């Protein structure tokens, strides 16, 4: 990803934060409804384009046109109150 700007989705569940590339595996579109605004319905992240729904902790699609595929996880670490890309893991 050198030199290319990417949009990430950060989801917190308690003390755990997971990150995914903001690209839907169905048609490669962003998942946000408006820049930085996402829909969480019944605990699942919903893609704005065709409504695929994803588990918050794994990124697995559990409903919609790309069921069984997953968001691309991005390794992050929390350090001193900051969330950083984990360069040791990818
Ligand atoms: S692009 Fe996300 S469900 Fe189609």
């Amino acid at each position: 990803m050198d030199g290319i700007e990417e949009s990430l989705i950060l989801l917190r569940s308690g003390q755990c934060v997971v990150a995914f590339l903001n690209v839907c595996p169905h048609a490669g579109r962003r998942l946000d409804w408006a820049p930085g605004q996402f829909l969480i319905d019944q605990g699942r992240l919903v893609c704005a384009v065709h409504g695929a729904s994803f588990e918050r902790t794994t990124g697995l699609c559990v409903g919609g046109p790309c069921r069984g595929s997953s968001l691309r996880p991005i390794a992050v670490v929390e350090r001193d109150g900051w969330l950083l890309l984990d360069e040791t893991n990818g």
Side-chain angles (χ1 to χ4, degrees), residues 23-31 46-54 61 63-66:
V23 175
C24 182
H26 175 230
R29 305 271 297 274
R30 290 172 60 116
L31 283 83
V46 178
C47 178
V49 184
H50 305 109
S53 60
F54 299 87
C61 180
C66 51

Side-chain angles (χ1 to χ4, degrees), residues 15-76:
Q15 295 296 312
C16 180
V17 176
V18 294
F20 299 103
L21 203 58
N22 185 11
V23 175
C24 182
H26 175 230
R29 305 271 297 274
R30 290 172 60 116
L31 283 83
D32 40 350
W33 295 75
Q37 296 184 12
F38 295 88
L39 175 63
I40 302 290
D41 184 34
Q42 299 181 352
R44 295 187 174 120
L45 176 65
V46 178
C47 178
V49 184
H50 305 109
S53 60
F54 299 87
E55 293 287 355
R56 291 172 54 118
T57 55
T58 64
L60 176 67
C61 180
V62 293
C66 51
R67 181 187 300 258
S69 57
S70 293
L71 298 172
R72 182 175 164 199
I74 302 295
V76 293

